[in-house]
Amino acid sequence: MPSRDHGFTTDQRSTTVPDRSSSFAGLADSHSGFANKVDVKSFRWFQAIILAALGVALLWLVLTKSMAAYLADVAPEWALKLNPNEPNALLRLADQKLNLIRAAEANAKKIGQFAIAASAIGRPGPEKIATLPEPAAGAGPATPLAADAQADSSEALAKAQRKALDEIRLLTQRAILLAPLNAHAFAILAELAERDGDMPRALELSKAAMRRSLRESGAIYRLLQASFAAKDYAESLKLADVLLRTRPSTGVAVIPILGRLAETPEARDGLKSMLIANPPWRAQFFAGLQGSIADARTPLELFLSLKDTPHPPSTDNLRSYFDLLFRNNLHELAYYTWLQFLIPEQLARAGLLFNGGFDSPPSGLPFDWVIQSGSGVTVQLSRLPDADIGRGLYIEFGSGQVQFGSVAQIVMLAPGKYQLKGKYKGEITGRRGMKWRMTCAV
């Protein structure tokens, strides 16, 4: 009889019992993976938002800073729309408004000069008065009405100009608050003060502009005029030197002042010292000095002060001075000036005809040989085959028609009879040949 064990069978089978701890752990792992996925997505969205915000901020900075700075010169009004605190745009806009006023004033001045000239030229003489047209019958007097209309127009223009100047002042003052080291802003305020008739303030503002930049030519020129009027010649020379070094184009206005300083005994020595130092504007000064002096001997005195220095006057300097003297028929002064700059050997050979044997290269100055080249001809100084003759003038003509140019020299001769002697050798096929000609210069 088989045995039984109280409900348990003796048949053993494999039974799998789920491990609760493992199940719970797997569930926990699955939840953790889901959380990681959520965290990664959130981080990416957050990163994208941050990058987008940074991009917008960078774009805004580019537009309000870099783009506004770029537009400040070409389109200041647009630059101020992007950045109302762009100082360069404020100054550029002030400059534009000020230039319009300057242009209007220049045009009004030209029109006024034209009216005066037309009045002087077209003023009828006694024989023309009778031919003037009579007023139309019934026409009222036009002169008072025209005068009233002109007065109203002038008043309106003056009012508009005052408004524009006030706007310029506000723009410039805003620019100074934003960029206190900007020299041009002080230069604009200096001009506005001068327009208001406040010269002390204009000079102080000009000094402020000059302290910040030596390239504010308008402010420095105002200081130059004031120092010259105050007879502060040392300061005038310093300011003129600054202007001519930084802005050579100001020479048109500065050189006339230097010309007056050259003829002022108290300032002459200071000017000579500056010229001896050979500033870069010295050639420009001598070229423009001709129309800025009252005494023709002034350039000669300056030239003589430079004669024995490391930088004596150049041939171009002397040539422009000779042109001035010849235009004014000052031949004796020109000859005296030429003698002053000959070396001792040349001075010993100076006679009726200078360098008659072509022994030295021509200087190109009037009392030496001046050779002007033509076309189809060669002119040069060469050593001649005959040893006893030395050097000579060699001229070679090409084929066909030629333009000779000239080989000339100005000589100073007392009244009397003279004979020009020389030797020549050559063959010319032509009807007229060649000949020396002497003419009186005056």
Side-chain angles (χ1 to χ4, degrees), residues 278-334:
N278 194 27
W281 47 264
R282 197 176 84 170
Q284 180 187 7
F285 165 72
F286 282 124
L289 185 61
Q290 301 179 18
S292 308
I293 55 176
D295 190 343
R297 296 168 296 181
T298 299
L300 176 59
E301 184 173 352
L302 298 176
F303 288 145
L304 291 176
S305 67
L306 302 173
K307 178 181 177 181
D308 299 322
T309 65
H311 304 285
S314 66
T315 301
D316 290 336
N317 298 153
L318 294 173
R319 186 181 293 111
S320 63
Y321 181 47
F322 284 129
D323 292 340
L324 169 67
L325 297 178
F326 283 119
R327 283 199 306 269
N328 292 275
N329 295 324
L330 299 173
H331 301 95
E332 293 183 357
L333 181 56

Side-chain angles (χ1 to χ4, degrees), residues 202-224:
L203 294 178
E204 288 300 321
L205 290 168
S206 297
K207 291 178 182 178
M210 181 178 172
R211 285 194 297 268
R212 288 162 174 80
S213 174
L214 295 179
R215 301 189 68 84
E216 285 301 326
S217 305
I220 298 175
Y221 182 70
R222 185 178 296 108
L223 295 173
L224 170 60

